Amino acid sequence: MTSVTVSNKEISGKQLGIMLLALIGLLIAGGMAVNNLLVEGHAAYNTDNLGLFWGFPIVIYDYFLLTSTGLAMVASMALIFGGEEYRPIIRRALWLALAGLLGGVAVLMMELGHPLRALWAIPFSFAFSSPLYWKVMAVSFYVISLLILQVRMLKADWRMQDLRINAMVTLVLALGVTAIAGVVYGSQSFRPFWASGDIPVAFIFESLLGGLAFVFFFTYLAYAFNPAAVPESVKRLFNDRLANLLALAIFIHLLFVLARMSSGLYGNAEGLQVWQTLATSPLFFAEIIIGLLLPLVLLMYPGTRTSPWAQILASLLVMNALLISRYEYIIGGQLVPLFKGSWAPELLSYAPSPTEWLLLLVAIFLSNAVNAFGEVTLRLGREG
Amino acid sequence: MAKWGMVIDLDKCTGCQACTTACAMENNRLPGENWQDVLFYHEGTYPNVKLMWFPRPCMHCENPSCVSVCPTKATYKDPDGGFVLMDYNKCIGCKYCQVACPYGVRFYVDEKAVVQPDIRGVFPSETGRQWDPPYKGPQDDPSRGIGIQPHGVVSKCTFCYHKVSKAPKGVADLDEDIPELKEYVPACVRVCAPKARFFGDLDQPNSNVNKMIADKRGVRLKDETGNKPQVYYLSGGATASVPSLRSMSDSDKG
């Protein structure tokens, strides 16, 4: 018991270190990004009026938002169906969901033309025909629901059955936010690269995959990547059910990506030619082979599936693959310019600007700072 | 209530870009960011090259996807005239309307300049607007997207709302050849030298625009999107044809 207490203190110290590092990183990256935006304005981003309207900031925002809803789905499903063996990951996943969302929304605010106006103009517009209106409303209620769950879990002796109604509401909202995020793209019928009725479902599975990968990675991070410090209850969960679930989620996500690619390569509609370029790009191969297939093998192969380092590596690779996947989907849908004639090339080219890369760092540092703050002050791992 | 619409005769359009220039002058457009444009396309490789052009204003759709996706109702369908307009005071610059417009006719005001030097830097504004050109129209109505744009919003063609909305009530067609009406005619229509553009009330069965649409089998661009443009093209009964970029690239490969 004494050794565990000492270990907890050490871990708290390391989390404090992570928080400080993240805050310093946030100050530097955020400061540089804000400076660039003040000097250059929106031109600091590599978007344009030829067709690439939503760039890397939107990719980052959606990535963090969908990761957040994925974490909330994992935690709330664990609360509703899971049973006590999932207890060690629930509070951490819920707090991480808030931290990730904060990182994503911060980036969105730096992308919008009038971020402060958005705070009142969207809720009071009652623009029921707009998926974005519903997305913002759903996200607002989702945050409230997450906060209520967190507050109710502050008591050391919280019981799963007491939180089931809360968890159901959170699950419905998380599913809603994710599905609406899919509708934002899937409803654009004249952009065949995006448009498909199954996009909201694909987003939900992608989100779940992100949630599971983040649970693995940030749980190990909470124990400073020291497998010896990880409680037995967590190890049991990771080596058995969660490893299976992560592998299954990778497989389903792979199916969605490969199915979209196959239809895209054979399809003839204007806009699908993006797949010809995408499917031969090194980034796509990295995503499929290194980001998804390799983790799948690591989690299926008996010799590696219970190895903490293999699990850390698999989750890290999946986290990166999902960012690439989001990037390819959002940017790919805009690469064929609409009605620009010879003023635009047949396929637009896009690479994030330095300021856009800084926004990724802003989201990462902010989310990590908030997460580490939770680890230190809320003792998210106490159930382990 | 009028429902203003435009008819463009592709058999008459010479691709001279007078419409584009007139729109730029009337609405203080930035160089290269044309609310109204004539797009040029080519097919084939030298010496067998076919050059085509296609005039493209905002379609002021009856059922505009840009309006339905706007999360703040900043872009809206004006009930009196059928214009699709922008309210700069409500726009948050999320660019969803740009993404959702099948015709590529919306412009975010703060993107990098298409043509250098950036004229916004040459004539900077001190009133929070995008720039302060030496000549600008006297009309300024941010709630309808008229005048120099503020920062952080999306802009678009207004069908020259500031002119058309002042036309006498009940007029069926705004024709630049009728002296008492010419001041109300949209800039792009008024300057069209080959008279390829016509503007009138689509809700009046006897308007000239309606007769032309019926007689010459006017078609709407990308009608399959369900947006129902209020701009009709006359092309001898054929579909208003814009070569797909895919066909361009295929024919280039020979």
Side-chain angles (χ1 to χ4, degrees):
Chain A
M1 196 64 195
T2 315
S3 64
V4 171
T5 313
V6 171
S7 167
N8 279 343
K9 274 183 186 166
E10 279 174 10
I11 286 161
S12 279
K14 284 187 177 163
Q15 285 297 333
L16 210 57
I18 290 171
M19 189 169 81
L20 285 175
L21 276 177
L23 283 174
I24 291 166
L26 178 64
L27 269 176
I28 295 170
M32 287 169 72
V34 168
N35 175 64
N36 291 356
L37 287 171
L38 288 175
V39 174
E40 297 178 64
H42 195 275
Y45 302 146
N46 275 353
T47 48
D48 58 38
N49 277 321
L50 285 175
L52 232 145
F53 311 126
W54 282 347
F56 201 39
I58 296 297
V59 174
I60 300 165
Y61 160 64
D62 263 350
Y63 174 76
F64 277 81
L65 175 70
L66 262 61
T67 302
S68 166
T69 54
L71 284 157
M73 283 179 217
V74 171
S76 50
M77 281 196 284
L79 274 170
I80 299 165
F81 311 111
E84 287 298 321
E85 67 266 36
Y86 286 91
R87 197 178 178 91
I89 62 160
I90 291 173
R91 286 182 70 226
R92 177 168 291 122
L94 287 170
W95 182 255
L96 201 49
L98 277 169
L101 183 66
L102 208 58
V105 171
V107 170
L108 178 68
M109 290 286 143
M110 293 172 87
E111 149 71 17
L112 290 178
H114 288 281
L116 296 178
R117 183 182 293 169
L119 296 178
W120 60 263
I122 296 178
F124 294 110
S125 71
F126 305 110
F128 300 137
S129 65
S130 171
L132 271 193
Y133 169 80
W134 290 110
K135 189 175 170 187
V136 169
M137 298 312 286
V139 168
S140 308
F141 288 114
Y142 164 71
V143 171
I144 293 168
S145 177
L146 279 179
L147 285 171
I148 292 172
L149 263 179
Q150 274 296 342
V151 169
R152 293 192 66 189
M153 282 188 206
L154 283 177
K155 284 192 299 182
D157 57 344
W158 60 272
R159 295 187 318 158
M160 281 190 165
Q161 58 264 40
D162 297 340
L163 300 173
R164 287 218 167 109
I165 301 289
N166 261 160
M168 280 181 208
V169 173
T170 307
L171 177 62
V172 168
L173 287 168
L175 285 169
V177 169
T178 315
I180 297 169
V183 172
V184 167
Y185 300 96
S187 59
Q188 304 301 309
S189 59
F190 59 93
R191 295 182 186 273
F193 187 88
W194 280 353
S196 175
D198 66 1
I199 290 298
V201 182
F203 270 39
I204 286 171
F205 280 107
E206 201 171 321
S207 207
L208 263 173
L209 173 58
L212 288 165
F214 270 68
V215 163
F216 269 94
F217 187 84
F218 279 89
T219 303
Y220 280 115
L221 179 66
Y223 297 101
F225 295 123
N226 177 10
V230 178
E232 275 307 313
S233 57
V234 177
K235 280 182 192 165
R236 267 199 309 277
L237 182 63
F238 276 16
N239 294 344
D240 184 23
R241 293 200 177 179
L242 237 46
N244 284 336
L245 278 176
L246 183 57
L248 181 65
I250 293 173
F251 180 70
I252 293 173
H253 175 62
L254 250 176
L255 283 184
F256 271 108
V257 173
L258 295 178
R260 269 210 310 265
M261 182 193 72
S262 311
S263 312
L265 286 174
Y266 284 103
N268 211 24
E270 180 80 0
L272 287 179
Q273 64 267 45
V274 172
W275 276 109
Q276 312 283 346
T277 308
L278 194 62
T280 52
S281 73
L283 202 61
F284 186 71
F285 279 97
E287 175 202 345
I288 299 294
I289 296 169
I290 304 172
L292 295 172
L293 281 175
L294 179 60
L296 190 60
V297 171
L298 286 173
L299 292 167
M300 306 266 300
Y301 182 62
T304 50
R305 62 174 280 128
T306 55
S307 154
W309 291 108
Q311 290 175 351
I312 291 167
L313 179 64
S315 56
L316 187 62
L317 290 173
V318 167
M319 286 155 65
N320 281 291
L322 286 176
L323 182 61
I324 297 173
S325 175
R326 190 121 311 272
Y327 178 89
E328 285 168 339
Y329 180 70
I330 293 178
I331 303 300
Q334 304 172 81
L335 287 182
V336 174
L338 298 165
F339 291 97
K340 299 296 173 186
S342 300
W343 311 148
E346 60 192 72
L347 269 191
L348 298 172
S349 59
Y350 172 81
S353 68
T355 308
E356 289 173 305
W357 281 113
L358 283 170
L359 291 194
L360 177 61
L361 295 181
V362 166
I364 292 172
F365 286 135
L366 178 57
S367 302
N368 270 285
V370 174
N371 182 57
F373 174 78
E375 292 281 359
V376 173
T377 57
L378 301 175
R379 294 182 54 233
L380 299 174
R382 73 177 177 218
E383 278 81 22
Chain B
M1 298 285 179
K3 185 170 84 180
W4 296 110
M6 191 181 286
V7 171
I8 303 176
D9 191 337
L10 295 177
D11 289 339
K12 287 186 182 172
C13 176
T14 60
C16 69
Q17 295 280 23
C19 48
T20 308
T21 310
C23 173
M25 296 300 290
E26 181 74 31
N27 297 295
N28 291 107
R29 297 309 308 133
L30 293 174
E33 285 192 0
N34 303 312
W35 282 353
Q36 144 62 43
D37 209 342
V38 180
L39 307 171
F40 283 80
Y41 294 88
H42 72 278
E43 269 187 2
T45 48
Y46 180 83
N48 298 312
V49 182
K50 185 179 173 191
L51 183 69
M52 293 168 287
W53 52 92
F54 189 80
R56 185 237 52 201
C58 168
M59 302 290 144
H60 289 269
C61 305
E62 283 177 41
N63 185 26
S65 48
C66 57
V67 168
S68 64
V69 302
C70 178
T72 62
K73 292 187 180 171
T75 188
Y76 61 98
K77 185 86 178 153
D78 187 275
D80 188 14
F83 306 87
V84 174
L85 300 172
M86 281 296 303
D87 184 343
Y88 294 147
N89 299 320
K90 287 184 182 171
C91 181
I92 59 168
C94 71
K95 301 193 260 184
Y96 196 13
C97 56
Q98 279 189 291
V99 167
C101 171
Y103 307 103
V105 294
R106 287 174 163 264
F107 302 86
Y108 187 65
V109 299
D110 291 333
E111 297 293 3
K112 288 187 186 75
V114 177
V115 176
Q116 293 294 339
D118 187 348
I119 202 160
R120 292 169 295 191
V122 178
F123 300 107
S125 167
E126 290 175 358
T127 57
R129 300 290 176 98
Q130 202 192 4
W131 63 314
D132 188 15
Y135 164 78
K136 53 181 177 290
Q139 302 82 14
D140 189 49
D141 185 354
S143 68
R144 292 192 170 90
I146 295 163
I148 306 294
Q149 295 89 43
H151 288 283
V153 299
V154 170
S155 77
K156 67 176 289 295
C157 153
T158 63
F159 250 3
C160 282
Y161 177 91
H162 56 284
K163 290 152 81 76
V164 175
S165 61
K166 292 179 186 140
K169 296 291 171 208
V171 164
D173 290 284
L174 292 177
D175 189 334
E176 67 274 18
D177 290 339
I178 303 171
E180 58 270 30
L181 292 179
K182 68 180 181 185
E183 288 303 323
Y184 310 117
V185 180
C188 59
V189 178
R190 187 169 172 185
V191 301
C192 183
K195 205 165 171 60
R197 288 180 182 240
F198 304 88
F199 198 81
D201 186 353
L202 296 172
D203 269 355
Q204 293 205 33
N206 293 322
S207 64
N208 187 36
V209 284
N210 267 332
K211 284 180 189 161
M212 279 190 292
I213 292 165
D215 292 347
K216 297 188 177 179
R217 287 177 286 172
V219 292
R220 302 191 283 200
L221 196 58
K222 287 180 90 75
D223 226 358
E224 75 277 8
T225 61
N227 277 25
K228 299 185 179 174
Q230 286 173 208
V231 173
Y232 286 76
Y233 290 92
L234 307 181
S235 57
T239 307
S241 66
V242 175
S244 82
L245 296 167
R246 170 170 276 194
S247 71
M248 269 168 67
S249 101
D250 289 348
S251 64
D252 283 348
K253 284 172 200 157

